[in-house]
């Protein structure tokens, strides 16, 4: 796998907001949309693995890195408009999305006929959005008083990301562990790294997206794009029922479940993905490459 040579550029979304992206590779365009607590640079390994066959675009979703801020009324429609701006600039008919980014790519495929093939890794489509609206209130209050670690703990349970052993720990201990993790990442961060502390405010928009798309499975029957639907057997348990439902609803769907892979297995190691594996990224990229090349 060769190191990606990344260039930068921007496009303007429908509401005038600048959306920045990195670009690498050669061949037909593929847009890669990152997930929660990530940025465009979270999928450089995936981009490297695709770059021999495709020109890969890595946009920063709003609130991160090269892109402008969230709107007060931020919604899935805003995210689709941002993605459409990048797709148009790239001339892309293929897109890959992870988690909340995967949900946005799927919604875009429903609205944008130009998307011919999409690959999704654990898209954040759930049956019931009410639990997400409930925890967002507490999360907002914690961030408003500067309690980043507390907000991240709240979101971890809200997104059902907490492993079983953490669920029995006192909340105060979890906050202290999270603060130490944030501090360690900041000490080790290289210049230009977007840290978890910087990304924490973006969690609100992720929660609203998950809540807004919850229970919308039937609407995706109209998706004409071919879909590669992927996940891991050790991924987020709350997202597996959604994949099962989508596999029966999407008209042109191929599903793959990777044994032992978790929710972050398509992303670079680091940050919220400390156990990430380059080998796992390579395996996922191999499937994505074969699908997009068909």
């Amino acid at each position: 796998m060769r190191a990606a040579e990344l260039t930068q550029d921007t496009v303007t979304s429908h509401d005038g907001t600048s959306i920045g992206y990195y670009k690498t590779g050669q061949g037909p365009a593929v847009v890669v949309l990152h997930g929660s607590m990530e940025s465009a640079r979270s999928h450089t390994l995936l981009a490297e693995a695709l770059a021999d066959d495709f020109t890969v675009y890595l946009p920063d979703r709003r609130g991160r890195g090269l892109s402008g801020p969230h709107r007060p009324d931020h919604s899935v429609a805003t995210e689709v408009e941002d993605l459409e701006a990048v797709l148009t600039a790239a001339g892309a008919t293929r897109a890959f999305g992870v988690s909340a980014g995967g949900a946005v790519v799927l919604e875009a495929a429903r609205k944008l006929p130009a998307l011919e093939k999409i690959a999704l890794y654990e898209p954040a489509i759930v049956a019931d959005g009410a639990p997400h609206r409930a925890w967002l209130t507490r999360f907002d209050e914690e961030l408003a008083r500067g309690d980043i670690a507390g907000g991240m703990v709240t979101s971890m349970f809200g997104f059902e990301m907490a492993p079983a052993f953490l669920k029995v720990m006192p909340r105060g201990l979890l906050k202290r562990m999270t603060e130490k993790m944030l501090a360690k990442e900041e000490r080790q961060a290289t210049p230009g790294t977007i840290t978890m502390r910087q990304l924490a405010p973006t969690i609100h928009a992720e929660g609203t997206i998950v809540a807004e798309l919850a229970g919308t499975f039937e609407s995706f029957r109209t998706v004409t794009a071919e879909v590669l639907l992927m996940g891991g057997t050790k991924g987020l348990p709350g997202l597996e029922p959604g994949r099962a439902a989508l596999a029966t609803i999407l008209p042109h769907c191929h599903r793959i479940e990777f044994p032992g892979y978790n929710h972050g297995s398509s992303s670079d190691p680091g940050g919220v993905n400390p156990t990430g594996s380059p080998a796992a990224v390579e395996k996922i990229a191999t499937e994505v490459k074969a699908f997009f090349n068909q």
Side-chain angles (χ1 to χ4, degrees):
M1 186 186 300
R2 66 185 179 87
E5 298 176 1
L6 300 173
T7 59
Q8 298 179 24
D9 208 340
T10 61
V11 294
T12 303
S13 191
H14 180 74
D15 67 352
T17 299
S18 179
I19 303 299
Y21 61 83
Y22 297 93
K23 176 182 173 182
T24 189
Q26 58 187 1
V30 171
V31 177
V32 174
L33 206 62
H34 63 77
S36 302
M37 290 299 287
E38 293 187 329
S39 68
R41 297 298 292 267
S42 297
H43 288 88
T44 56
L45 292 180
L46 183 76
E48 289 170 5
L50 298 176
D52 286 339
D53 288 27
F54 301 100
T55 302
V56 184
Y57 290 73
L58 300 166
D60 270 318
R61 292 170 56 213
R62 290 193 185 213
R64 303 158 175 88
L66 304 176
S67 294
H70 291 108
R71 289 164 38 167
D73 60 345
H74 188 79
S75 67
V76 176
T78 310
E79 296 264 357
V80 171
E81 289 173 354
D82 295 348
L83 175 57
E84 183 179 18
V86 179
L87 290 168
T88 300
T93 61
R94 301 168 178 86
F96 172 92
V98 179
S99 192
V104 171
V105 168
L106 182 57
E107 177 68 1
R110 188 177 71 84
K111 294 182 175 179
L112 307 176
L115 273 174
E116 297 174 358
K117 290 190 175 187
I118 62 171
L120 311 173
Y121 190 83
E122 299 215 347
I125 308 287
V126 298
D128 182 8
H132 294 283
R133 294 185 178 91
W135 68 259
L136 278 174
T137 299
R138 178 171 183 169
F139 172 83
D140 290 342
E141 292 171 349
E142 287 166 332
L143 257 67
R145 61 174 182 263
D147 185 5
I148 302 295
M152 289 183 64
V153 171
T154 295
S155 69
M156 178 177 66
F157 285 104
F159 281 128
E160 300 181 342
M161 295 179 68
F165 75 93
L166 289 182
K167 294 179 180 178
V168 299
M169 286 188 179
R171 183 178 178 88
L173 177 58
L174 288 175
K175 283 180 56 176
R176 290 193 294 273
M177 291 171 58
T178 301
E179 183 55 48
K180 287 182 178 180
M181 177 182 67
L182 295 173
K184 180 180 179 181
E185 184 198 27
E186 288 171 330
R187 287 194 304 271
Q188 298 177 345
T190 57
T193 298
I194 301 176
T195 65
M196 288 186 285
R197 196 183 301 275
Q198 292 171 318
L199 287 168
T202 67
I203 295 175
H204 178 97
E206 305 299 86
T208 59
I209 289 168
V210 173
E212 185 179 348
L213 288 177
T216 60
F217 299 106
E218 287 296 324
S219 68
F220 298 116
R221 288 192 185 277
T222 62
V223 171
T224 59
E226 296 179 49
V227 181
L228 176 61
L229 181 60
M230 298 174 288
T233 59
K234 292 186 177 180
L236 296 187
L239 297 183
E240 194 284 329
R243 291 199 299 283
L246 289 171
T248 65
I249 288 169
L250 290 165
H252 313 288
C253 182
H254 175 60
R255 184 180 179 189
I256 298 176
E257 293 291 307
F258 295 96
Y261 286 19
N262 62 28
H263 189 60
S265 287
S266 70
S267 306
D268 293 4
V272 290
N273 188 33
T275 61
S277 162
V281 176
E282 181 70 24
K283 175 61 177 175
I284 292 169
T286 298
E287 296 292 347
V288 172
K289 185 183 295 187
F291 170 69
F292 284 153
N293 273 325
Q294 286 174 357

